[in-house]
């Protein structure tokens, strides 16, 4: 219990730090925030109008008060409205998060379908061909830019053959190509990861000794070796989830898939500060939660780590 | 009763050369030899767990089945790495029983825990929470969990203090008498072999040099045996003069 | 060996002079989408610019960018890591806190954020990459420093009266440099991929400078008429990254094994784990 309380405390402190630095950073941006928020330039409004707006938005208050007000807004999820569409930032973000989630799920599924059999298979087999295949897949996935695969796939299957939609999001078929372009490079990271960790586990002395006690190969593989090899893979998985949470930027732009990444690219190019700010905060929160989730999963898999000083 | 006939084991070099050995049942058999003499390899061959890349020819004939865990119990030398770090001792024990289609035999296990001086509450601990001596005794517990009739003990003497070693060997002898088991005990020290063994097998460089009862070995004229006995006596003298525990 | 280098340098000189002479920026709408010819070795792109020259210049830019970024990151990261390993106390603690705080941020997210806060330019990308990748170098060098300092020959050297800086230079730095260089070579490939991805969506190298990723975007509309415009830049990226992988493997063989979790398979055809 004690450790969970400590965790929560450090997490909240950390969040506070992030929010404060965000707040300060945004205030330090070039340009007057009031002008930016109102999306006007100095020439089209009188000084009195600007002053009035300033007072209304609370920008004339001391920094600390502004910060508290800002925190309140954040925690009630009043993140302002987008400069591009005028819609509430929170709405736009949540919508696009769902879309990105869809894409991420598709990509992860493909990645697992490729990486698990190849990773586990190449760890267990003696046949060179399997190991070479795994290596080939892994290397090609790592060297080839995901979006290039996407481009080629689109131009082959969508434009030339017309089997799948070129872009946009209309049902399951439009998920296929983006998921493939996402999953294949992703798998390339996991194949050697799974293979290395599984072999390392299988080489552990306690595995052999379990055999000496008569424990079946099946139990050894599925309940011992795999369980032992999961934590490092899971940690990397946490990082993967984190980067997916931020939006699969390039692919979303390529396929015009309306996820968080595409949203942000447009926001950056249009300088939609409320949206950018909302994204930073929400994504940080999501990433922190995801990481804690992964950590808890790892603790569940290795209960012996809690007893020691393992981080 | 196990017969080993013309056993050759080789990797890049010959590791075991033309081993012919009869292991009678119900005896305390000691395989004595220096590191690299092939004694551990012999054990592994009995368990049918030779490492990859090692080939063997010859036969091992036994009149009873030799299933790992059920008929053969193995006590490893490196007990520190012998256990799955993410399972409690109890869970591992349950797995061991389940692997042979049984449930934990509580009265028997509790009895063994008692004689091994292991606190039953330790069963719920993880290996990282137990000391070396505790782990060694648990290793023995796991080896005898299913009452195997053949126990292979790999260098029990090396990593522990002499007092504990002695107690464990006494325990093994008890087990042997109580369940009519055969003990094959591997060591590089002649002392415990002479004291506990009923049949000694001396090995060097993958060959069997001599076999016999302790008396026969003590009176042997074979050069290797003589050298071994001489070394043994010298170490006894040294131990006596430094007033530490020794074997009679 | 000498001959190979000569050929390499010769090709390089050839490409450089080609690029200089055939201006990669000159748009010539009259000559757009010309096929491969003697005048334009790889034809022209959608705006009539010499494609080969653009490809080559883009390569220089990509390599330059990633080498610079990786060098910067490696220096800063290794320095901080060595400091953390050498000096116990608050400095070490501070560096650890920084690492823990920044390690969870994924690269794309941070790059987006920084691009959003500053502007969409290569500099922002460098900054973003720096903020993330320094951690791997810092952790690597810290671990190495701590390990090496515990070795007996270091305390021997200290007893023999060597000053701290001499110990640093002769005992501690060499193994670190070996492993850091391996990590760097792998990162060069990753940074090139990263740069091309961001240039593709317009947040990296800006026009009129050519970049392989951006050229993929430019070449897309002409896929049916002039597929080379989209295939060649992609192929260049792949080949370059594969080259860095090979370079990394060569360096790993020469000495120094980097213990990172995503290291590739070293040799195919390995046997089952030994029993």
């Amino acid at each position: 219990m004690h450790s969970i309380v400590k965790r929560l405390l450090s997490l909240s402190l950390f969040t506070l730090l992030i929010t404060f630095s965000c707040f300060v950073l945004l205030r330090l941006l070039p340009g007057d925030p009031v002008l930016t928020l109102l999306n006007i330039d100095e020439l089209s409004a009188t000084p009195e109008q600007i002053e009035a707006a300033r007072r209304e938005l609370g920008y004339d208050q001391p920094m600390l008060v502004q910060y508290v007000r800002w925190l309140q807004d954040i925690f009630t999820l009043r993140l302002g409205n987008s400069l591009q569409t005028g819609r509430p930032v929170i709405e736009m973000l949540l919508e696009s998060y769902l879309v990105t989630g869809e894409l991420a799920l598709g990509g992860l599924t493909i990645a697992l379908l490729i990486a698990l059999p190849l990773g586990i298979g190449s760890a267990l087999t003696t046949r060179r061909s399997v190991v070479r295949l795994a290596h080939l897949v892994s290397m090609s996935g790592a060297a080839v830019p995901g979006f290039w695969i996407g481009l080629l796939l689109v131009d082959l299957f969508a434009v030339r053959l017309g089997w799948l939609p070129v872009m946009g999001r209309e049902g399951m078929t439009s998920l296929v190509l983006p998921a493939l372009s996402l999953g294949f490079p992703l798998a390339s990271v996991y194949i050697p990861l799974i293979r290395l960790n599984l072999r390392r586990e299988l080489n552990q002395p306690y595995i052999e000794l379990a055999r000496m006690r008569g424990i079946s190969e099946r139990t050894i593989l599925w309940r011992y070796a795999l369980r032992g090899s999961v934590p490092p893979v899971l940690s990397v998985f946490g990082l993967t989830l984190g980067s997916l949470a931020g939006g699969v930027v390039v692919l979303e732009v390529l396929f015009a898939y309306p996820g968080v990444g595409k949203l942000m690219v447009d926001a950056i190019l249009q300088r939609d500060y409320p949206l950018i700010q909302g994204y930073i905060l929400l994504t940080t929160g999501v990433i922190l939660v995801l990481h804690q989730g992964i950590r808890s999963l790892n603790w569940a898999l290795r209960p012996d780590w809690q007893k020691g000083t393992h981080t | 009763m196990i017969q080993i006939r013309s056993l050759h084991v080789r990797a890049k070099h010959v590791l075991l050369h033309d081993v012919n050995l009869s292991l009678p049942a119900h005896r305390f058999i000691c395989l004595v030899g220096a590191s690299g003499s092939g004694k551990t390899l012999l054990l592994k061959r009995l368990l049918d767990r030779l490492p990859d890349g090692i080939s063997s020819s010859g036969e091992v004939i036994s009149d009873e089945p030799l299933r790992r865990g059920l008929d053969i119990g193995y006590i490893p030398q490196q007990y520190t790495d012998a256990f799955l770090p993410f399972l409690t001792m109890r869970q591992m024990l349950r797995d061991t029983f389940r692997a042979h289609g049984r449930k934990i035999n509580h009265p028997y296990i509790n009895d063994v825990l008692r004689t091994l001086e292991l606190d039953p509450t330790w069963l719920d601990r993880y290996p990282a929470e137990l000391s070396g001596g505790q782990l060694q005794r648990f290793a023995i517990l796991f080896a005898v969990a299913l009452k195997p009739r053949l126990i292979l003990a790999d260098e029990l003497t090396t990593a522990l203090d002499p007092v504990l070693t002695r107690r464990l060997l006494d325990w093994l002898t008890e087990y042997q008498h109580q369940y009519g088991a055969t003990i094959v005990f591997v060591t590089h020290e002649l002392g415990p072999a002479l004291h506990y063994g009923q049949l000694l097998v001396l090995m060097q460089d993958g060959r069997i040099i001599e076999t016999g009862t302790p008396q026969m070995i003590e009176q042997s004229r074979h050069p290797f045996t003589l050298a071994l006995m001489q070394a043994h006596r010298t170490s006894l003298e040294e131990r006596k003069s430094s007033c530490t525990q020794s074997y009679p | 060996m000498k001959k190979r280098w000569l050929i390499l340098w010769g090709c390089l000189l050839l490409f450089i002079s080609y690029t200089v002479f055939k201006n990669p920026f000159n748009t010539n709408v009259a000559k757009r989408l010309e096929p491969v010819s003697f005048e334009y070795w790889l034809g022209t792109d959608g705006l009539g610019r010499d494609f080969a020259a653009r490809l080559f210049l883009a390569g220089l830019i990509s390599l330059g960018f990633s080498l610079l970024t990786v060098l910067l990151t490696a220096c800063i990261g290794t320095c901080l890591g060595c400091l953390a390993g050498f000096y116990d106390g608050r400095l070490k603690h501070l560096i650890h806190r920084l690492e823990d705080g920044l390690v969870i941020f994924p690269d794309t997210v941070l790059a987006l954020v920084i691009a959003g806060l500053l502007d969409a330019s290569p500099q922002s990308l460098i900054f973003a990459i720096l903020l993330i990748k320094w951690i791997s170098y810092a952790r690597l060098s810290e671990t190495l420093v701590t390990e090496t300092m515990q070795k007996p020959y270091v305390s021997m050297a200290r007893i023999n009266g060597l000053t701290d800086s001499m110990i640093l230079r002769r005992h501690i730095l060499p193994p670190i440099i070996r492993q850091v260089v391996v990590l760097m070579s792998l990162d060069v490939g990753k940074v090139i991929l990263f740069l091309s991805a961001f240039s593709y969506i317009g947040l990296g190298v800006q026009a009129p400078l050519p970049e392989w990723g951006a050229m993929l975007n430019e070449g897309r509309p002409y896929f049916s008429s002039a597929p080379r415009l989209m295939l060649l830049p992609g192929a260049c990226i792949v080949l370059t990254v594969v080259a860095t992988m090979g370079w990394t493997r060569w360096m790993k063989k020469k000495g120094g094994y980097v213990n990172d979790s995503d290291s590739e398979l070293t040799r195919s055809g390995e046997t089952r784990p030994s029993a």
Side-chain angles (χ1 to χ4, degrees):
Chain A
M1 268 302 121
H2 183 57
S3 58
I4 297 186
V5 172
K6 265 209 297 197
R7 273 255 146 231
L8 278 175
L9 224 78
S10 70
L11 222 74
S12 9
L13 223 80
F14 185 56
T15 324
L16 230 77
L17 202 78
I18 298 252
T19 52
F20 193 69
S21 9
C22 241
F23 180 75
V24 168
L25 217 73
L26 285 168
R27 290 288 178 277
L28 289 177
L29 281 178
D32 193 330
V34 187
L35 294 176
T36 325
L37 280 174
L38 294 177
N39 212 11
I40 51 180
D41 59 69
E42 296 187 348
L43 300 171
S44 59
T46 66
E48 295 86 34
Q49 285 175 318
I50 299 178
E51 265 313 302
R54 206 184 292 274
R55 244 173 295 128
E56 207 185 292
L57 292 166
Y59 274 95
D60 55 341
Q61 304 278 17
M63 268 293 217
L64 216 57
V65 179
Q66 284 192 41
Y67 178 54
V68 174
R69 281 266 212 84
W70 183 82
L71 267 184
Q72 282 177 325
D73 282 341
I74 303 293
F75 279 109
T76 50
L77 292 178
R78 257 182 297 148
L79 295 165
N81 297 340
S82 158
L83 290 179
Q84 300 170 75
T85 64
R87 291 173 56 204
V89 163
I90 184 80
E91 229 181 70
M92 295 179 74
L93 280 176
L94 285 179
E95 262 177 22
S96 34
Y97 265 124
L98 253 110
V99 177
T100 298
E102 213 179 78
L103 183 57
L105 217 69
L108 280 173
T109 316
I110 302 268
L112 283 177
L113 282 175
I114 300 178
L116 276 180
L118 278 177
I120 298 182
S122 63
L124 299 176
T125 192
T126 30
R127 280 205 259 159
R128 285 187 179 205
S129 49
V130 180
V131 180
R132 285 226 182 97
L133 176 68
H135 190 201
L136 192 67
V137 172
S138 149
M139 221 178 70
S140 21
V144 179
F147 61 100
W148 195 47
I149 299 178
L151 282 173
L152 295 177
L153 286 178
V154 165
D155 285 310
L156 182 59
F157 287 106
V159 175
R160 292 221 181 155
L161 293 176
W163 289 354
L164 296 164
V166 176
M167 54 171 65
R169 177 174 171 250
E170 313 149 20
M172 280 295 272
T173 46
S174 37
L175 189 55
V176 173
L177 289 180
L180 276 172
S181 320
L182 179 60
F184 185 57
L186 215 56
S188 77
V189 171
Y190 284 97
I191 294 177
L193 191 64
I194 295 177
R195 178 174 192 263
L196 232 69
N197 276 292
L198 194 56
R199 297 189 86 211
R200 197 203 41 160
E201 272 303 303
L202 286 170
N203 270 326
Q204 294 283 10
Y206 45 77
I207 295 287
E208 179 60 22
L209 281 156
R211 281 200 195 101
M212 305 278 207
R213 294 202 296 272
I215 304 205
S216 67
E217 284 297 325
R218 249 188 63 205
T219 314
I220 286 184
L221 177 63
W222 292 107
R223 289 187 53 207
Y224 296 167
L226 275 178
R227 177 168 168 181
S229 53
V230 167
V233 178
L234 215 58
S235 307
V236 176
F237 188 63
L239 294 174
T240 305
L241 279 184
S243 77
L244 287 177
V248 189
V249 181
V250 185
L251 288 174
E252 287 177 11
V253 170
L254 207 181
F255 288 100
Y257 218 78
V260 170
K262 178 158 194 303
L263 193 72
M264 276 314 292
V265 173
D266 294 332
I268 290 171
L269 292 174
Q270 301 292 328
R271 300 220 173 280
D272 191 342
Y273 284 121
L275 197 56
I276 297 177
Q277 173 188 276
Y279 168 81
I280 297 177
L281 294 168
L282 218 62
T283 312
T284 315
V286 168
I287 291 177
L288 284 175
V289 168
L290 278 171
H291 272 266
Q292 188 51 43
I294 296 283
R295 219 177 284 153
S296 312
L297 255 163
N298 267 348
W299 281 352
L301 280 170
R302 295 291 300 248
D304 54 311
W305 282 351
Q306 272 179 320
K307 308 281 183 167
T309 47
H310 213 281
T311 33
Chain B
M1 161 86 147
I2 301 177
Q3 285 253 37
I4 304 178
R5 290 211 198 120
S6 307
L7 183 66
H8 282 263
V9 172
R10 60 175 301 140
K12 281 196 193 134
H13 323 281
V14 175
L15 298 167
L16 281 180
H17 183 80
D18 198 21
V19 172
N20 287 283
L21 193 57
S22 290
L23 298 171
H26 315 307
R27 296 274 196 282
F28 200 115
I29 306 167
C30 293
L31 293 182
V32 186
S35 352
S37 53
K39 42 196 209 296
T40 308
L41 222 56
L42 202 54
L43 284 190
K44 294 225 169 123
R45 178 62 185 89
L46 288 175
L47 285 160
D48 203 16
R49 286 300 308 174
L50 284 175
D52 276 335
I54 296 190
S55 62
S56 84
S57 64
E59 353 172 62
V60 173
I61 309 169
S62 158
D63 43 1
E64 280 167 350
L66 288 178
R67 290 163 294 190
R68 282 177 241 132
L70 200 53
D71 307 303
I72 315 184
Y74 177 70
I75 309 176
Q77 179 181 10
Q78 275 299 99
Y79 47 84
T80 40
D81 301 323
F83 302 101
L84 291 143
F86 47 82
L87 292 180
T88 62
M89 309 308 272
R90 192 188 296 273
Q91 288 168 325
M92 277 187 267
L93 202 59
R94 194 174 301 148
D95 280 347
T96 311
F97 274 94
R98 214 181 279 163
H100 301 278
R102 298 172 194 199
K103 293 209 153 148
I104 299 185
N105 185 342
H106 287 288
Y108 170 65
I109 294 293
N110 284 327
D111 195 47
V112 177
L113 283 170
R114 193 176 42 82
T115 53
L116 281 172
E117 292 175 42
L118 287 170
D119 190 336
T121 59
W122 295 344
L123 276 179
D124 291 305
R125 293 213 185 151
Y126 292 95
E129 301 175 273
L130 297 167
S131 77
Q134 293 165 323
L135 285 176
Q136 174 76 90
R137 284 175 279 151
F138 266 111
I140 299 185
L141 171 71
F142 276 77
V144 304
L146 290 143
K147 292 197 210 145
R149 235 116 28 90
L150 176 62
I151 306 266
L152 306 179
D154 200 349
E155 303 251 19
L156 267 183
T157 53
T158 325
L160 293 173
D161 61 84
V163 180
L164 188 54
T165 314
R166 195 160 185 203
R167 283 173 33 193
L168 291 180
L169 285 170
D170 288 335
W171 188 94
L172 267 181
T173 320
E174 257 304 307
Y175 182 89
Q176 177 201 359
H177 290 141
Q178 190 170 4
Y179 297 101
T182 313
I183 315 273
V184 177
F185 176 68
V186 163
T187 179
H188 58 257
E189 293 176 34
L190 199 51
L194 288 172
H195 187 240
Y196 289 92
Q198 292 164 309
L199 172 67
L200 268 68
V201 177
L202 289 105
M203 295 180 69
Q204 189 196 29
D205 292 330
R207 282 164 219 266
I208 303 209
I209 308 291
E210 199 171 353
T211 65
T213 63
Q215 294 82 353
M216 288 164 65
I217 297 299
E218 274 171 347
Q219 290 155 7
S220 158
R221 306 252 107 231
H222 192 290
F224 174 72
T225 319
L226 283 174
L228 209 61
M229 283 298 304
Q230 185 55 41
H232 167 63
R233 283 194 195 103
T234 323
S235 73
L236 268 186
E237 296 295 325
E238 286 171 358
R239 285 212 210 128
K240 278 207 180 105
S241 62
S242 62
C243 296
T244 51
Q245 184 103 28
S246 64
Y247 293 99
Chain C
M1 191 51 179
K2 277 278 181 167
K3 223 193 210 176
R4 226 185 283 177
W5 279 117
L6 229 73
I7 300 179
L8 213 74
W9 283 119
C11 287
L12 211 71
L13 223 65
L14 186 67
F15 289 140
I16 292 181
S17 35
Y18 181 87
T19 310
V20 167
F21 280 123
K22 305 290 189 139
N23 194 324
F25 299 109
N26 259 351
T27 61
N28 191 347
V29 186
K31 289 213 164 174
R32 52 198 300 265
L33 300 180
E34 292 256 326
V36 177
S37 62
F38 271 123
E39 196 196 345
Y40 297 110
W41 286 6
L42 286 175
T44 59
D45 69 353
L47 291 177
R49 298 175 287 198
D50 187 320
F51 194 55
R54 298 207 85 215
L55 220 56
F56 185 64
L57 186 59
L60 286 179
I61 292 179
S62 294
L63 272 174
F65 177 88
S66 34
L67 283 174
L68 175 68
T69 314
V70 173
L71 207 69
L72 218 64
T73 314
C75 284
I76 296 183
T78 318
C79 275
L80 287 176
C82 286
L83 284 175
F86 231 24
Y87 301 113
D88 273 326
R90 279 193 303 174
L91 186 61
K92 185 198 263 269
H93 219 63
L94 179 68
I95 293 182
H96 282 175
R97 279 298 155 101
L98 265 172
E99 286 176 1
D100 290 336
L102 284 172
V103 79
I104 55 172
F105 286 107
D107 37 15
T108 21
V109 176
L110 208 64
L112 278 181
V113 165
I114 292 184
L117 294 177
L118 301 174
D119 61 351
S121 69
Q123 296 93 294
S124 324
L125 277 188
I126 295 186
F127 188 41
I129 297 177
L130 204 79
L131 275 185
I132 303 157
K133 284 214 177 284
W134 76 272
I135 300 177
S136 358
Y137 291 94
R139 284 195 170 161
L140 176 69
S141 27
E142 184 185 336
T143 322
L144 284 176
V145 166
T146 331
E147 268 180 26
T148 324
M149 292 225 294
Q150 286 173 353
K151 291 234 166 98
Y153 58 77
V154 173
S155 22
M156 290 246 95
R158 226 181 262 259
I159 293 175
N160 284 342
L162 266 75
T163 63
D164 271 353
S165 63
M166 287 179 75
I167 297 180
L168 193 77
R169 235 181 307 137
R170 302 188 73 215
H171 292 297
I172 301 187
L173 246 69
I176 293 184
I177 292 190
R178 241 181 286 136
Q179 296 222 26
V180 164
V181 168
V182 172
L183 194 60
M184 279 171 73
S185 68
L186 203 58
D187 273 345
V188 166
K190 290 188 187 168
V191 171
I192 290 184
L193 280 174
F194 194 70
L195 175 67
S196 66
F198 268 77
S199 304
Y200 172 75
I201 56 178
L203 292 180
V205 174
Q206 304 287 337
L209 286 178
E211 202 280 331
W212 286 330
M215 287 165 81
L216 282 176
N217 192 20
E218 291 164 11
R220 193 175 177 190
Y222 310 114
F223 187 54
S224 358
S225 45
R228 64 188 151 83
L229 291 180
M230 221 182 77
L231 292 175
L232 283 180
C236 286
I237 299 177
V238 176
L239 287 173
T240 316
V241 177
V242 171
T244 55
M245 286 182 173
W247 176 247
T248 313
R249 208 174 306 156
W250 180 77
M251 281 212 288
K252 275 191 187 174
K253 270 203 194 141
K254 276 202 74 186
Y257 162 76
V258 178
N259 189 18
D260 58 327
S261 56
D262 54 18
S263 59
E264 50 191 274
L265 302 172
T266 44
R267 247 189 313 226
S268 55
E270 290 167 306
T271 54
R272 250 179 76 211
S274 44

